[in-house]
Amino acid sequence: MKIIAAVELAFVSQKILLTNPGLQYAHQLAKQLVRQDSLYEFWTGFALSADNWYTQALQDYLPARWRKKIANRILTGIGARHLRSTPAIEWKALKRINQGGSPQKVFHERNRIFQEKIPDASLRKSSALIGFDTASWLLAERAGKLDKPFFLDQSISHPLANQKIMRGVAERFPDWGETIEERLPQVLACEHQEYQLATRIVAASSFTKKTLMAHGIDADKIIINPYGVDLQTFHPPESSTPRKRSVRFLFLGLISARKGVPLILEAWRKLALKDAELWLVGSLTESARALIPELPGLKVMGKVHRQDLPDLLRQCDVLAFPSYCEGFGLVLLEALASGMPVITTDATAGPDLIQDGVEGHLIPTGDLDALCAAMQALAQEPDKLERMGRAARRCAERFSWEAYGDRWQQILRDNT
């Protein structure tokens, strides 16, 4: 018993160095590591701790439009003693992109500088490192020299798999002008180094794992850990009053061919549903807007601020997300938590989250007929829609951020 207690105490005392030059969902993992008393430092780009007095001053004195812009950069649950922010590196990168620099080249250089910025002392004092794909090749090498376990958080599919998929999308929807930026050789080499040096690769979906395995990475090295969702922020409407309006489908994400938007438009035109709406919500270019026809029930809303998404989701009934390639697709969990059935493909985290016909529908990627059938079934069977909505919420409750953090803790426990 004393030996077991000593081992458990040794594990609890571990301190994890977490790094991501962007933000994405890394702060959610940082919060969970804080909750478990396992975070040593969280290094990122531009982020502010809600604990700091100057963060409160910014919120008090900045104009409302600027407060909204930085709202997602103010982190709760992560004290200033853990947070290490490098805003200058991020701002310089964004400036270069705004001046016409290649995003791939700029971000690769940003990621190199970011990794070099992290001092040796931080690595030595930590017991293990977690880094994110495309931004960890130097850290993985440094961790190996110090005999520290390194965990690669793989947020997207293998880059060569993504390129192949994008070529197919561009051929099917040439008018949408999907840009296929070939991975630079030096970027591919750095990603390969990350895969080789990682103690374990943690992928968010079985689709991502499949693409990694297809490019020579040992399946035993890859662990699947789906993301989480804030179940308090994203929840079904408070009122249980039966819906009296038409069924409302929602697409939420970048309005592009890769996300399946032209496929949704083909389905909407073909179905010609008389008592239904389709909302397209997300960033879109002028050229993409010009390709969207005027169709009955179709509403193009453009980009909506992150803070407004929970209310938006509660105004809709079904998420239609027929993406051709997703590392995960957080919007799937956000919709499920909001009590919405989802229609999605096998190239997302859908197969890891839902059962076909229970919390929504899983369709083969790019299958127009399957998409039409799924949308029609939910539009014409209100009882089925309500039943699936309740199942969707129950499904989401298994994927809280706390559950995500607990699974990470088990991964660290098993591999350090």
Side-chain angles (χ1 to χ4, degrees):
M1 292 298 292
K2 289 183 178 180
I3 294 174
I4 294 173
V7 171
E8 290 180 348
L9 181 61
F11 177 77
V12 169
S13 66
Q14 286 198 33
K15 296 300 178 184
I16 306 302
L17 178 63
L18 175 64
T19 70
N20 187 338
L23 199 58
Q24 296 168 290
Y25 54 88
H27 64 290
Q28 297 288 358
L29 177 53
K31 286 172 66 174
Q32 296 309 313
L33 292 172
V34 169
R35 176 175 67 88
Q36 297 155 340
D37 193 29
S38 295
L39 182 65
Y40 173 55
E41 290 176 343
F42 173 37
W43 283 77
T44 189
F46 173 43
L48 300 167
S49 172
D51 292 349
N52 277 341
W53 65 267
Y54 58 78
T55 301
Q56 186 59 54
L58 281 174
Q59 292 177 301
D60 289 342
Y61 295 106
L62 277 177
R65 65 187 184 91
W66 282 103
R67 289 201 302 272
K68 202 167 188 178
K69 281 179 180 291
I70 68 168
N72 66 332
R73 300 286 182 163
I74 298 175
L75 310 183
T76 58
I78 306 171
R81 69 189 183 95
H82 292 301
L83 183 61
R84 303 291 181 269
S85 184
T86 59
I89 296 173
E90 185 72 7
W91 292 337
K92 287 178 182 177
L94 294 175
K95 182 179 179 181
R96 287 178 60 196
I97 290 173
N98 290 334
Q99 292 173 343
S102 161
Q104 186 178 178
K105 290 181 180 179
V106 170
F107 283 128
H108 183 62
E109 180 66 7
R110 177 204 67 175
N111 294 347
R112 180 188 64 78
I113 296 170
F114 172 78
Q115 293 175 81
E116 292 173 345
K117 179 77 172 177
I118 299 171
D120 288 337
S122 292
L123 275 72
R124 286 196 300 269
K125 292 177 182 178
S126 63
S127 53
L129 285 76
I130 301 174
F132 284 67
D133 51 307
T134 75
S136 297
W137 69 94
L138 296 177
L139 287 170
E141 184 177 28
R142 292 167 66 188
K145 290 178 179 178
L146 293 171
D147 199 26
K148 305 278 187 179
F150 173 76
F151 297 85
L152 179 67
D153 193 310
Q154 183 71 20
S155 62
I156 56 176
S157 58
H158 192 283
L160 295 180
N162 187 54
Q163 284 182 187
K164 182 178 179 181
I165 292 167
M166 287 302 299
R167 291 190 192 105
V169 171
E171 289 176 6
R172 181 165 183 178
F173 305 109
D175 291 344
W176 280 75
E178 290 290 294
T179 57
I180 305 170
E181 188 176 17
E182 299 290 333
R183 212 55 150 199
L184 294 171
Q186 61 266 36
V187 177
L188 280 174
C190 290
E191 289 179 277
H192 179 72
Q193 183 172 333
E194 292 173 348
Y195 301 145
Q196 295 302 307
L197 296 179
T199 305
R200 288 289 185 270
I201 300 170
V202 181
S205 69
S206 55
F207 172 71
T208 294
K209 180 175 180 177
K210 182 169 65 175
T211 67
L212 294 173
M213 291 169 55
H215 289 83
I217 299 173
D218 187 349
D220 292 339
K221 193 172 190 174
I222 308 167
I223 301 170
I224 298 175
N225 185 9
Y227 299 144
V229 65
D230 185 333
L231 294 168
Q232 283 69 51
T233 300
F234 294 94
H235 59 79
E238 300 292 346
S239 174
S240 58
T241 304
R243 174 176 46 80
K244 296 181 180 179
R245 55 169 172 74
S246 58
V247 174
R248 186 172 292 155
F249 292 89
L250 170 70
F251 169 85
L252 178 57
L254 176 66
I255 297 178
S256 67
R258 180 179 72 83
K259 297 282 189 177
V261 171
L263 193 72
I264 294 176
L265 294 173
E266 285 185 18
W268 196 250
R269 183 187 290 107
K270 183 177 180 180
L271 287 170
L273 298 171
K274 298 188 182 303
D275 191 26
E277 299 175 22
L278 171 62
W279 288 9
L280 299 182
V281 178
S283 300
L284 76 167
T285 63
E286 291 184 9
S287 58
R289 182 64 184 89
L291 290 168
I292 300 175
E294 298 292 332
L295 296 172
L298 176 63
K299 183 177 181 180
V300 183
M301 299 181 66
K303 186 175 182 179
V304 172
H305 195 275
R306 177 77 185 165
Q307 289 180 319
D308 300 325
L309 290 185
D311 285 338
L312 175 77
L313 286 162
R314 285 190 283 272
Q315 296 175 51
C316 299
D317 305 301
V318 182
L319 178 75
F321 192 71
S323 180
Y324 282 81
C325 182
E326 293 291 329
F328 187 85
L330 273 172
V331 66
L332 297 174
L333 270 180
E334 292 165 353
L336 291 168
S338 302
M340 295 172 62
V342 302
I343 301 171
T344 192
T345 69
D346 49 14
T348 71
D352 302 297
L353 302 177
I354 70 169
Q355 306 167 77
D356 184 39
V358 179
E359 300 94 354
H361 290 289
L362 295 170
I363 64 172
T365 305
D367 191 327
L368 176 62
D369 291 339
L371 178 58
C372 288
M375 294 178 75
Q376 187 166 35
L378 289 174
Q380 296 181 348
E381 300 181 44
D383 291 343
K384 182 178 182 181
L385 182 61
E386 297 295 332
R387 183 174 66 253
M388 281 189 167
R390 292 191 294 272
R393 174 64 188 188
R394 291 195 297 271
C395 171
E397 288 171 354
R398 305 198 310 270
F399 295 95
S400 66
W401 283 118
E402 288 75 19
Y404 170 74
D406 291 344
R407 291 191 297 270
W408 251 114
Q409 194 73 294
Q410 188 62 50
I411 292 167
L412 294 167
R413 185 187 299 272
D414 293 343
N415 295 279
T416 55

